[in-house]
Amino acid sequence: MRLFHISSMATEGHNVDANLLTIGRDHGHYFSKKTFGKPTYCHHCCDKIWGMLTQGYACEICNFVCHDKCLKTVVSYCSGVALQLIKNPVAHTWSAPALIKRKYCCVCRKRTDESFSVECEVCEYFVHVDCSDLAVSDCKEAATYVPNIENVNMTQYHHMREGNLPKDSKCVVCRKSCFSTECLAGMRCEWCGQTAHALCYRQMGKECEFGVLRKIMLPPNSLTIPRTELPMEQLLNITSHDQPQSLSSPSKIQADDVSSSGDDLKEREDVEILRIFDGNASLRAQVSRTASVPKTATVQQIRDAALRRFHIMDNSENYYVTQIVGDGEEEPLDDPVPLRNVKRPEGRRAQIFLRYRDDPETDTVKIYGGWLRRVPVTFCNLIILKDTVVQDLVTEALDKFGLDGSTWNRYNLIEVSLDRGVAERTCNPQENMLQLVRNLRKDSLRRYHVVRFYVQEKEDPHDHAVFVGNLPVSLAQRQYERILLKLLGAKEKPFTAIGPIYFEYGSLVITFNTPKAATAAVQKLQNAVYEDKKLNVLCLPNVQPQMLPADAEPLLVLVNVKSGGCQGTDLIQSFRKLLNPFQVFDVLKGGPLVGLYVFRNIPKYKILACGGDGTIGWVLQCLDIAKQDAACFSPPCGIVPLGTGNDLARVLRWGGGYTGEENPLDILKDVIEADEVRLDRWAVVFHEEERSQAPNTVQTNTVEAEQTMNNPEDQTSMIIMNNYFGIGIDADVCLKFHNKRDANPEKFQSRLFNKTQYAKIGLQKMFFERTCKDLWKRIELEVDGKAIELPNIEGIVVLNLLSWGSGANPWGTAKEEGVFSKPTHYDGLLEVVGISDVSRLGLIQSKLAAGIRIAQGGSIRITTHEEWPVQVDGEPHIQPPGTITILKSALRAQMLKKAKKSRRGIAASSQVRAVASEGSPSGPLGVPSSLGDPSHGKSTPDALGDSDEEGDAFL
């Protein structure tokens, strides 16, 4: 008959369950009296420890230091047991190793700037590279949707993390500062950001409401992610780094490391240093841990020291030690003073095996129900016998969880290893459990103690959608299917559906029935190359809109990490920590379409585009394409200006450029408080002159010539304009700059350098290359169908915004008199301004002068008879002779305009923002059929960054 025990639910918080492990009053610490040779602070109360000798206590495993008076009230768990207390493990996503300043390692509690360290890009977890194998896999659980559970029945709990608090942290309980520069102390919720003292945090409420960002947060209970073998970096669309490896061996926290007395244990004559292996696998890999014990130590003392070194808090009577002799052979240690006769290889330390006393007939195993979430307990203890197989265990566990055991075939048993991350394996239903457990213990006791068995439903609520980008553009669906089948090496479709297809960008979404099929496809496609281009392949999360609160407006964050000298890299990491990481996307990996597809079923949401003017235009272009099939037709878009020009951001009060000093939390608060305004958009249609032959020339009857004569529409293209259009001198300077940057992109990483280059080009144009001096004689301008006589100018700028070339205003600030009305970005009118020469261009840019006001109207037509440089929103090119028509587009955009500072501080939850007086919600969007497809324009940014960021930024 099998025995069982069901644990009670934890009271420690959502991610920690103290009942998962039997630990004493000291929370897994192994305290001993210490004398500190330098000023030391208590990790519990943060006060200085005073005294001359044996001033306090220190844990020999994790270096936790405290007063004698604080010993009884310690609430911080030792890092030796922390990994085994996590209810639902989630792997961290590590950054590249670096010397991280002013932080503390979450494992050994020492400063991270003392040696190379890594940090999680999703949560506030810092760890030395040498401590990384003891890191606790308790990253934010960002996707917790459970089918058949209503939103009202889902509760979000705090996810508490110890230490590394922000400088201005205040305890939510006692209202006093809980920040410390001297040690790893204090507690912080990874979701809502609430902070508290270690003494106070137990008095906090258990439920988390996401704090000030609640309205724009994508709740974890509304999200599913694929159950795949893919690493978390790929699911989060994060550039993966190698798993942090130790610099020497896994012996990360040596016994001599935790000594504060200054004595070097290796040199003491009464101490023996032992190499300890925890199983056959560690011996084969020659990966051991060292322990320092007295030379007179008994077998029991050696065993207990070995257990501490491997962070095993089990009953010590179940373990024994042996010495390793020869090639993996072992002998028992049974001498009263075993180190007198222990065998030591020449020039090496004695080698010891730590072993478990197996019962040949029976064993006990814990079965967790974590992902079921409908069970009232965390785990159950089951007795397994010689003939117990996985199927039997699942049946018994379901009965103990209060579910129907006869439905065992609807469930899998998942073996989850928490060793250096999270790795999963589905167990075979006929696999022998007793043999499986024994093999795990034989290979590695450490790994056995970080392996768990979870019961999981086979039915997966996730829609296994895979985004594939960087394919050839504008192909037919059958052609895309043939390409995918060829790359997958399949004769029949392994996917169940294809679409939507974004023909203009060569991107599409394919859907699979099972996680296994999706994983196999991703693994093949992520390394695939087609037409010398590597594909962008992403597994996508899935949003369940019915789980969103009624007043929620989740924020879709789109970041161009290459904009503004790569400032976006730090910004995207900050946003992932503040929000749900699955609502933050890097647009260089698949473009804005990836995030727009994920958010397609959300009825109301906002967008925050982080980049230059080119990135903003790219996002709006993709929104025009994706929103036709989306639940939210026109989500408002805010801006974090990372480029150099940032003219649209200036008009909407988001500033002239992100400096890195702004608090990302304040940016998100500004988004919550921002007003919705309308932005007029314009279609710039380029139509080249028909290249007909002269009468006396014999025309060759080629197919190409015939198409040119009979299909004049082929010579027409269109670009959607948001900011401004230029022809002549300003476009010429812009074109020269872009050519220089394309030749040496690595040099153009700073705003100051970029503007200096503009000034240099402008001076060359002023003295040596006046190629546009007769522009006013060589082009024709019509505004609203009326011919306009041009003054003596070298360039024309057509403005939708009163910001141009990094904040300049060519229209000027003088009052409008007579025929002109006060211009805005929502009035349906464009302003036409003339630039007399390069010197006037520089004065306008320096805000010392204005241009020449020429006209104002809703339709502009420019006729040219020769090539001219032109630019649209800072994207320059040479335009052949023909006509350029600028018309009001039906494609409008809703933007977010930052509220004035006087309105800051109003609680975001109480805000009910009406549409601002600047404009009302736009009507149905669509491009007039005569204008063609806007997506075939020329303004798609280069993958390396914004081609328009420095547009007209001439000094």
Side-chain angles (χ1 to χ4, degrees):
M1 179 179 179
R2 297 179 185 172
L3 303 176
F4 70 92
H5 167 71
I6 298 181
S7 77
S8 60
M9 288 300 287
T11 58
E12 300 297 327
H14 175 59
N15 57 317
V16 176
D17 190 343
N19 296 300
L20 296 181
L21 193 65
T22 303
I23 56 178
R25 183 195 66 185
D26 292 334
H27 287 70
H29 295 289
Y30 192 82
F31 285 119
S32 60
K33 271 278 189 180
K34 290 291 181 182
T35 297
F36 304 106
K38 59 182 180 180
T40 306
Y41 289 79
C42 177
H43 294 184
H44 182 64
C45 68
C46 301
D47 290 340
K48 196 171 185 179
I49 299 178
W50 298 95
M52 297 296 294
L53 298 173
T54 59
Q55 304 101 317
Y57 287 86
C59 176
E60 294 188 7
I61 297 174
C62 71
N63 298 324
F64 186 93
V65 175
C66 67
H67 292 101
D68 188 0
K69 65 179 182 180
C70 295
L71 194 62
K72 295 181 180 180
T73 55
V74 167
V75 296
S76 301
Y77 291 98
C78 178
S79 59
V81 301
L83 184 59
Q84 299 174 55
L85 298 177
I86 301 306
K87 290 195 289 185
N88 295 314
V90 179
H92 293 289
T93 304
W94 300 117
S95 66
L99 292 174
I100 302 174
K101 297 181 179 179
R102 296 182 292 277
K103 300 293 182 182
Y104 289 88
C105 175
C106 293
V107 173
C108 73
R109 312 182 74 91
K110 295 183 178 180
R111 294 183 184 273
T112 53
D113 52 8
E114 294 177 353
S115 63
F116 279 98
S117 305
V118 292
E119 65 175 306
C120 178
E121 298 198 11
V122 174
C123 69
E124 295 290 331
Y125 197 98
F126 299 84
V127 62
H128 292 121
V129 172
D130 285 351
C131 299
S132 58
D133 74 327
L134 298 178
V136 182
S137 298
D138 67 336
C139 193
K140 292 198 297 188
E141 197 172 7
T144 61
Y145 171 74
V146 179
N148 305 320
I149 295 184
E150 296 180 359
N151 187 17
V152 293
N153 297 325
M154 295 295 291
T155 302
Q156 178 70 32
Y157 295 96
H158 290 298
H159 186 112
M160 304 306 294
R161 171 85 68 235
E162 185 178 13
N164 296 313
L165 306 186
K167 291 183 179 180
D168 56 349
S169 298
K170 299 288 184 182
C171 178
V172 296
V173 177
C174 68
R175 302 298 177 183
K176 296 179 181 179
S177 174
C178 54
F179 166 73
S180 174
T181 59
E182 305 297 337
C183 58
L184 186 77
M187 308 295 290
R188 177 181 181 273
C189 175
E190 292 291 333
W191 286 110
C192 67
Q194 288 188 2
T195 55
H197 293 104
L199 275 171
C200 299
Y201 97 94
R202 297 288 180 87
Q203 301 177 43
M204 294 172 56
K206 297 293 184 292
E207 295 186 14
C208 177
E209 297 182 352
F210 301 114
V212 296
L213 302 181
R214 183 187 65 85
K215 191 171 183 180
I216 60 173
M217 183 75 71
L218 185 62
N221 64 6
S222 67
L223 203 65
T224 63
I225 56 175
R227 297 176 188 167
T228 71
E229 300 173 3
L230 300 173
M232 187 59 68
E233 290 90 343
Q234 186 153 6
L235 298 183
L236 286 168
N237 194 11
I238 295 176
T239 301
S240 61
H241 301 280
D242 293 335
Q243 186 79 353
Q245 299 290 333
S246 62
L247 301 181
S248 54
S249 73
S251 183
K252 305 301 182 297
I253 308 176
Q254 304 287 355
D256 46 329
D257 290 339
V258 300
S259 172
S260 301
S261 63
D263 296 333
D264 188 351
L265 295 180
K266 296 181 181 179
E267 297 178 358
R268 287 170 48 179
E269 295 181 357
D270 59 339
V271 168
E272 178 90 14
I273 306 295
L274 303 176
R275 290 186 69 197
I276 303 177
F277 297 88
D278 70 329
N280 298 341
S282 61
L283 180 63
R284 287 192 300 268
Q286 282 297 298
V287 175
S288 65
R289 300 194 181 194
T290 58
S292 301
V293 297
K295 289 189 175 180
T296 58
T298 64
V299 173
Q300 290 75 19
Q301 287 176 311
I302 295 174
R303 176 198 62 193
D304 293 346
L307 289 172
R308 290 197 299 272
R309 294 302 296 121
F310 285 100
H311 292 185
I312 296 174
M313 306 298 292
D314 207 352
N315 184 357
S316 60
E317 296 301 322
N318 294 331
Y319 296 85
Y320 65 97
V321 288
T322 64
Q323 64 172 322
I324 302 173
V325 295
D327 297 331
E329 298 179 4
E330 45 189 314
E331 293 179 356
L333 284 176
D334 50 11
D335 194 293
V337 186
L339 296 183
R340 290 177 181 172
N341 302 315
V342 71
K343 293 179 174 58
R344 299 175 180 84
E346 185 177 351
R348 301 171 66 186
R349 294 169 180 163
Q351 301 183 108
I352 302 296
F353 251 138
L354 178 63
R355 293 295 196 183
Y356 184 83
R357 300 182 191 276
D358 282 316
D359 186 324
E361 301 294 331
T362 184
D363 211 329
T364 304
V365 66
K366 289 179 180 178
I367 305 297
Y368 295 78
W371 291 306
L372 297 178
R373 296 189 181 279
R374 288 173 292 183
V375 298
V377 293
T378 302
F379 69 89
C380 61
N381 268 342
L382 299 179
I383 300 299
I384 55 176
L385 305 175
K386 276 186 174 181
D387 58 348
T388 303
V389 295
V390 168
Q391 173 184 331
D392 302 330
L393 206 65
V394 172
T395 302
E396 185 100 12
L398 290 173
D399 289 336
K400 306 314 174 188
F401 288 145
L403 302 174
D404 186 1
S406 63
T407 60
W408 65 268
N409 57 343
R410 292 169 48 193
Y411 299 85
N412 283 324
L413 187 69
I414 309 296
E415 178 188 320
V416 179
S417 173
L418 311 187
D419 187 28
R420 302 183 64 77
V422 178
E424 299 180 12
R425 181 184 74 88
T426 302
C427 299
N428 188 310
Q430 300 306 314
E431 195 169 352
N432 186 284
M433 280 302 300
L434 188 60
Q435 192 61 44
L436 173 60
V437 169
R438 284 180 177 173
N439 290 341
L440 284 172
R441 286 197 185 117
K442 252 180 206 179
D443 270 351
S444 170
L445 285 171
R446 161 70 182 169
R447 183 172 182 272
Y448 167 74
H449 279 88
V450 295
V451 166
R452 295 182 180 179
F453 297 98
Y454 283 82
V455 175
Q456 185 182 84
E457 286 182 290
K458 290 182 179 178
E459 184 180 353
D460 191 347
H462 183 72
D463 178 14
H464 294 280
V466 176
F467 181 91
V468 183
N470 232 9
L471 293 166
V473 300
S474 302
L475 300 181
Q477 178 174 328
R478 288 187 177 181
Q479 291 175 293
Y480 285 123
E481 289 181 356
R482 289 194 199 103
I483 293 172
L484 291 173
L485 291 176
K486 181 181 178 181
L487 295 174
L488 292 171
K491 295 182 180 179
E492 298 182 357
K493 295 179 185 177
F495 44 85
T496 57
I498 182 170
I501 300 175
Y502 306 110
F503 299 95
E504 303 85 351
Y505 290 93
S507 303
L508 52 83
V509 176
I510 49 179
T511 308
F512 297 85
N513 269 340
T514 65
K516 186 176 181 180
T519 302
V522 169
Q523 290 173 338
K524 285 185 179 180
L525 293 175
Q526 64 185 355
N527 296 318
V529 176
Y530 190 80
E531 293 185 352
D532 298 326
K533 292 182 180 179
K534 187 175 180 180
L535 302 185
N536 285 320
V537 183
L538 307 169
C539 269
L540 302 181
N542 189 28
V543 179
Q544 306 291 334
Q546 73 276 10
M547 302 299 293
L548 296 173
D551 62 341
E553 295 182 54
L555 182 66
L556 171 60
V557 182
L558 303 171
V559 184
N560 188 337
V561 297
K562 295 293 185 181
S563 291
C566 301
Q567 289 175 312
T569 302
D570 294 333
L571 199 59
I572 196 173
Q573 184 173 323
S574 298
F575 285 145
R576 285 191 176 115
K577 291 180 179 180
L578 291 168
L579 299 168
N580 190 316
F582 290 106
Q583 66 186 107
V584 182
F585 296 85
D586 178 0
V587 297
L588 295 188
K589 298 179 180 178
L593 290 169
V594 178
L596 293 172
Y597 176 82
V598 172
F599 274 56
R600 71 194 184 284
N601 293 325
I602 299 179
K604 190 174 183 181
Y605 69 95
K606 296 179 179 180
I607 298 174
L608 182 62
C610 309
D613 289 333
T615 300
I616 312 307
W618 190 14
V619 170
L620 294 178
Q621 274 190 358
C622 291
L623 187 60
D624 295 335
I625 297 169
K627 65 186 177 184
Q628 305 300 328
D629 300 319
C632 183
F633 193 69
S634 185
C637 183
I639 301 171
V640 176
L642 298 182
T644 300
N646 303 315
D647 291 293
L648 182 56
R650 295 171 194 268
V651 170
L652 299 177
R653 296 201 194 107
W654 293 104
Y658 177 76
T659 64
E661 297 179 359
E662 298 89 340
N663 187 342
L665 178 61
D666 290 336
I667 295 175
L668 296 178
K669 290 178 182 178
D670 289 335
V671 171
I672 296 173
E673 299 170 3
D675 300 317
E676 290 189 24
V677 298
R678 190 181 67 215
L679 174 69
D680 289 337
R681 302 174 73 196
W682 302 82
V684 184
V685 183
F686 298 96
H687 181 70
E688 299 179 23
E689 288 182 352
E690 295 185 21
R691 296 187 293 273
S692 58
Q693 299 289 342
N696 57 350
T697 304
V698 179
Q699 179 176 327
T700 56
N701 190 21
T702 62
V703 175
E704 182 179 357
E706 189 174 328
Q707 288 180 344
T708 301
M709 293 297 296
N710 297 336
N711 297 291
E713 293 82 3
D714 291 348
Q715 296 168 236
T716 300
S717 61
M718 188 186 73
I719 300 175
I720 296 298
M721 181 187 82
N722 302 311
N723 299 356
Y724 42 71
F725 165 87
I727 182 171
I729 186 61
D730 74 304
D732 197 17
V733 172
C734 184
L735 181 63
K736 293 288 185 183
F737 172 83
H738 280 270
N739 290 338
K740 291 183 71 172
R741 186 171 65 172
D742 289 342
N744 298 284
E746 69 283 352
K747 294 182 179 180
F748 293 77
Q749 297 293 327
S750 107
R751 293 188 180 116
L752 180 60
F753 179 83
N754 294 345
K755 291 187 176 183
T756 302
Q757 291 301 306
Y758 263 104
K760 184 178 178 180
I761 295 170
L763 292 173
Q764 290 175 347
K765 292 289 180 183
M766 181 184 299
F767 295 108
F768 306 109
E769 303 176 18
R770 295 193 61 188
T771 55
C772 303
K773 64 178 181 179
D774 295 327
L775 175 132
W776 62 285
K777 298 178 181 178
R778 296 149 65 187
I779 68 170
E780 301 166 10
L781 173 67
E782 294 180 18
V783 177
D784 292 338
K786 298 179 180 179
I788 302 296
E789 184 177 349
L790 294 175
N792 188 346
I793 56 175
E794 295 186 18
I796 293 176
V797 177
V798 180
L799 299 170
N800 185 39
L801 308 176
L802 290 185
S803 180
W804 166 90
S806 300
N809 182 5
W811 185 254
T813 57
K815 290 185 179 180
E816 290 75 13
E817 297 178 359
V819 295
F820 298 137
S821 60
K822 184 177 180 179
T824 64
H825 53 78
Y826 51 85
D827 58 3
L829 297 176
L830 293 169
E831 287 68 49
V832 183
V833 179
I835 300 175
S836 57
D837 53 30
V838 175
S839 60
R840 177 54 64 100
L841 183 68
L843 291 173
I844 294 172
Q845 178 61 46
S846 302
K847 302 179 178 65
L848 299 176
I852 302 171
R853 295 181 180 181
I854 296 177
Q856 192 178 49
S859 171
I860 310 294
R861 181 182 176 91
I862 299 173
T863 303
T864 67
H865 302 289
E866 55 189 284
E867 289 184 345
W868 286 101
V870 300
Q871 58 97 356
V872 180
D873 290 349
E875 179 76 17
H877 67 276
I878 295 295
Q879 180 63 28
T883 59
I884 303 169
T885 306
I886 307 177
L887 300 171
K888 184 73 177 293
S889 172
L891 295 171
R892 297 178 183 176
Q894 289 295 110
M895 306 300 293
L896 290 173
K897 188 172 185 177
K898 184 177 176 181
K900 292 183 178 180
K901 290 184 179 180
S902 59
R903 296 170 61 185
R904 291 283 305 276
I906 301 175
S909 59
S910 64
Q911 302 268 335
V912 181
R913 297 292 187 186
V915 177
S917 60
E918 284 87 340
S920 57
S922 56
L925 306 186
V927 183
S929 58
S930 61
L931 297 184
D933 188 351
S935 60
H936 292 294
K938 305 175 183 178
S939 60
T940 302
D942 187 90
L944 291 177
D946 293 309
S947 57
D948 67 272
E949 291 167 357
E950 293 77 24
D952 299 322
F954 169 62
L955 286 173

